[in-house]
């Protein structure tokens, strides 16, 4: 569904490390950092960022959370990416309204969840394009999840947002 809003979209792996980022022409530059923080917050807390708002209000159980871990984000737009029941990463979206950010993040996470892992040969070629060197099976295994997320994002057309 097209919404006509340029977005910043960040994807992190299950350790919170940035593995992919896309900025559409015209997306608010301040939202670059916000999108990355939304993805990391989702991973660190193990839930969508949209559920945090009531928990971080003065007097609430997690009041002050935004000041921890380098600055978490407590409003919608960060969503976990799962492979079945396993969390493999998170997507953070920013530059639209909170509702738009949530909608785009959920669509991206759903698309990433159905992506098939890349074969090692494809992984090596993909990694070479982004400047990574894949030399051994453990590296391939460790990198496979991030590459699967990147592959899924390539299939998800950000330009139709």
């Amino acid at each position: 569904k097209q919404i006509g809003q340029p977005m910043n979209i960040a994807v992190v792996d299950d350790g919170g490390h940035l593995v992919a980022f896309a900025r559409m022409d015209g997306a608010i530059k301040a939202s670059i950092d916000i999108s990355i923080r939304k993805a990391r917050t989702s991973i660190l807390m193990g839930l969508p960022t949209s559920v945090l708002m009531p928990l971080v209000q003065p007097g609430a159980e997690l009041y002050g959370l935004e000041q921890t871990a380098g600055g978490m984000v407590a409003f919608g737009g960060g969503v976990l990416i799962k492979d079945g029941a396993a969390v493999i990463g998170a997507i953070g979206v920013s530059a639209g309204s909170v509702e738009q950010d949530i909608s785009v993040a959920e669509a991206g996470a759903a698309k990433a969840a159905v992506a098939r892992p890349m074969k090692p040969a494809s992984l090596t070629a993909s990694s070479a394009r982004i400047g990574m060197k894949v030399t051994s099976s453990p590296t391939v295994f460790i990198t496979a999840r991030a590459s699967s997320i990147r592959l899924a994002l390539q299939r998800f057309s950000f330009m139709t947002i």
Side-chain angles (χ1 to χ4, degrees):
K1 174 180 166 184
Q2 293 185 2
I3 60 174
Q5 174 62 51
M7 297 282 192
N8 293 299
I9 303 169
V11 177
V12 298
D13 63 16
D14 60 351
H17 304 284
L18 187 66
V19 295
F21 180 83
R23 179 179 176 271
M24 296 175 69
D25 291 343
I28 301 168
K29 292 178 183 79
S31 291
I32 294 169
D33 185 56
I34 296 168
S35 65
I36 295 168
R37 289 176 188 265
K38 285 181 180 183
R40 286 189 179 140
T41 300
S42 189
I43 277 293
L44 291 173
M45 297 303 294
L47 44 79
T49 57
S50 59
V51 303
L52 293 173
M53 186 57 78
L55 301 173
V56 299
Q57 299 304 309
E61 187 174 349
L62 298 178
Y63 178 65
L65 178 73
E66 306 95 325
Q67 306 306 316
T68 64
M72 291 197 200
V73 175
F75 48 92
V79 177
L80 295 172
I81 299 171
K82 295 184 178 184
D83 181 10
V87 173
I88 62 169
I91 184 168
V93 177
S94 187
S97 67
V98 173
E99 293 78 20
Q100 289 172 326
D101 292 354
I102 292 169
S103 176
V104 173
E106 287 174 347
K111 190 73 168 181
V114 299
R116 301 208 189 294
M118 297 174 72
K119 295 178 184 176
S122 299
L123 177 60
T124 302
S126 174
S127 298
R129 283 194 301 272
I130 60 169
M132 293 174 61
K133 184 176 181 184
V134 178
T135 57
S136 65
S137 294
T139 304
V140 170
F141 178 76
I142 291 167
T143 311
R145 284 186 174 177
S147 294
S148 294
I149 293 170
R150 278 197 286 291
L151 177 64
L153 291 174
Q154 289 170 357
R155 291 180 182 160
F156 182 68
S157 174
F158 293 113
M159 300 314 291
T160 61
I161 295 173

